[in-house]
Amino acid sequence: TSDAADDSLRVDLGGRRIIKKKNFFQAKNGILDRSPSRGLGDVYKRQILSQLKIHLDSLSQSFEGQGQTDITPFPKKIRDLSKRFSIHFGEDATNSFSMEYHGMGTRSWASMLTVKAFIDMLEKKHIDEEECFFPIVAAEEPEAHLHPNAQRTLYKQLTSMKGQTIISSHSPYLASECNLQDLRSLRNGRDGVQVNSLGGWIAPADINKLQRDVMRFRGEILFSKAIILFEGVTEEQLAPVFFEKYFGKSCYAMGINCISVAGKNYPPFVKLAYRLGIPVCIVSDNDGTTFAEVSSQISKIEAEFDCQLLPNDFAVKYLNQGCDIERELVDHVGLVGELKKALVRLAINGNDNPNYITVKTKEVELFDNNRLLAELKGTKSGYSGFLAGIISDSDKESNELIP
């Protein structure tokens, strides 16, 4: 218990009374007043704690815009007497609890914001004293335990600090917020760790394409050991199943990403992978003028970078002459039965009426190959998810299933 009358702190410990005089409350730099009776009202008048509170209130940006921080200058428990102050966070002053009871993500974020507040105070001090000030802050995986939007918010907060901020990360959400020219990729190569960057090799128009087409939705490729590129979504859904059937492991377990480029939009992906030292394989359709178009794209990339894309780091594989993925599966792999079953599952769309299922199955079974191809192309990859499940459950050997 405390007794304001004699301006002392009195605590009972096992029947023994300990008395500390008011000097106990004196802190350096004038953060706390000598008299505890002045209460919390004066805490926020103190420049340092007020500045810290402003930064910690930024935690609310991850709590639907709600939340506030309270800084308590006096410990609430005997075991915390050695601490200067405690921090509480919650929706409001009546509904908050100590930071030590928040999750790991919130605590880590709070520590980052505390560093930010410290740097801001140091900057002001150096400005007042007319001294140079250029801090360098390094943060290792600050995104840990934070949900994706909180990671993006934290990145913006960290990069708004003065000086230079170096962040190591395994988060595609955080990396997607980064200026591409600021990225550095560290990889274990044949001769040790290699540091790669985009540098000034990529034109501004291509940088915009990469930011729009790659980083917004495909940030995980920055962390890939290798990338397999396809023209469409159908191949993107089927390829992981083919991969696992052949290798007995998922492509993700081996650090390989299967990516649709939505057409023949290969150059941005190839350029990014080449500059960051990520091996690439293109698996392309071979209908129409596709072969000539893709070959031309590769030649232009080699001319632009004044390089030759070597087999160890780059490869292009084409389907059979005149084939897109549907014709390849029908004419060369022979998955007619599996494709018809996928169309039936797509058509019934969760309808469990046995009569309807029987009728639709008989209808699809009558399709010849030309009608089957027309129906497959008409679904615009809608069948591919069902086909992936059918192939995954198939007892056939991998060489009977894979193009």
Side-chain angles (χ1 to χ4, degrees), residues 229-246:
L229 300 178
F230 305 93
E231 186 173 313
V233 175
T234 299
E235 298 95 313
E236 184 181 50
Q237 294 190 58
L238 294 176
V241 179
F242 291 149
F243 190 101
E244 189 162 357
K245 277 288 183 181
Y246 187 83

Side-chain angles (χ1 to χ4, degrees), residues 18-37:
I18 299 176
I19 300 178
K20 295 288 185 180
K21 293 298 182 181
K22 63 184 178 181
N23 287 344
F24 174 84
F25 294 98
Q26 187 173 5
K28 293 182 180 180
N29 300 323
I31 295 178
L32 302 179
D33 196 88
R34 289 172 61 88
S35 172
S37 61

Side-chain angles (χ1 to χ4, degrees), residues 253-288:
M254 299 181 71
I256 298 173
N257 285 89
C258 300
I259 303 292
S260 163
V261 302
K264 300 178 182 67
N265 189 31
Y266 295 114
F269 293 85
V270 175
K271 291 178 181 180
L272 177 68
Y274 173 76
R275 291 300 303 163
L276 297 183
I278 306 171
V280 178
C281 178
I282 295 175
V283 178
S284 173
D285 290 353
N286 201 3
D287 55 338

Side-chain angles (χ1 to χ4, degrees), residues 102-249:
H102 280 274
M104 289 288 292
T106 302
R107 283 185 280 163
S108 175
W109 194 349
S111 68
M112 291 290 100
L113 293 175
T114 302
V115 171
K116 189 172 186 294
F118 178 67
I119 288 175
D120 283 355
M121 288 183 283
L122 283 180
E123 181 193 23
K124 184 178 184 305
K125 177 179 180 294
H126 281 75
I127 290 174
D128 292 342
E129 297 177 2
E130 298 183 351
E131 294 181 350
C132 294
F133 182 66
F134 190 86
I136 299 176
V137 177
E140 182 180 9
E141 299 185 13
E143 76 275 2
H145 308 289
L146 293 176
H147 62 73
N149 284 338
Q151 293 180 30
R152 295 184 177 104
T153 303
L154 174 61
Y155 176 81
K156 296 293 186 183
Q157 292 171 343
L158 289 178
T159 54
S160 68
M161 288 193 290
K162 303 295 181 182
Q164 182 179 16
T165 305
I166 302 171
I167 301 172
S168 70
S169 174
H170 288 94
S171 167
Y173 308 108
L174 193 148
S176 68
E177 297 294 316
C178 179
N179 185 325
L180 282 173
Q181 288 94 334
D182 292 337
L183 279 176
R184 300 294 182 270
S185 174
L186 279 69
R187 295 183 175 276
N188 283 321
R190 301 178 186 90
D191 301 319
V193 177
Q194 300 174 342
V195 181
N196 302 289
S197 71
L198 296 183
W201 286 81
I202 300 182
D206 284 334
I207 289 290
N208 289 335
K209 286 182 181 179
L210 286 170
Q211 202 78 53
R212 181 186 68 243
D213 299 336
V214 181
M215 299 306 297
R216 283 178 60 202
F217 308 111
R218 303 294 188 183
E220 71 271 15
I221 72 173
L222 296 173
F223 309 97
S224 299
K225 292 182 178 178
I227 304 168
I228 306 175
L229 300 178
F230 305 93
E231 186 173 313
V233 175
T234 299
E235 298 95 313
E236 184 181 50
Q237 294 190 58
L238 294 176
V241 179
F242 291 149
F243 190 101
E244 189 162 357
K245 277 288 183 181
Y246 187 83
F247 291 102
K249 297 180 181 179

Side-chain angles (χ1 to χ4, degrees), residues 285-318:
D285 290 353
N286 201 3
D287 55 338
T289 61
T290 298
F291 181 87
E293 290 179 56
V294 174
S295 298
S296 175
Q297 290 177 355
I298 302 309
S299 296
K300 288 179 180 178
I301 293 172
E302 290 180 327
E304 181 181 340
F305 286 172
D306 190 22
C307 72
Q308 183 179 3
L309 297 174
L310 300 174
N312 284 339
D313 299 313
F314 180 79
V316 184
K317 303 294 181 182
Y318 294 93

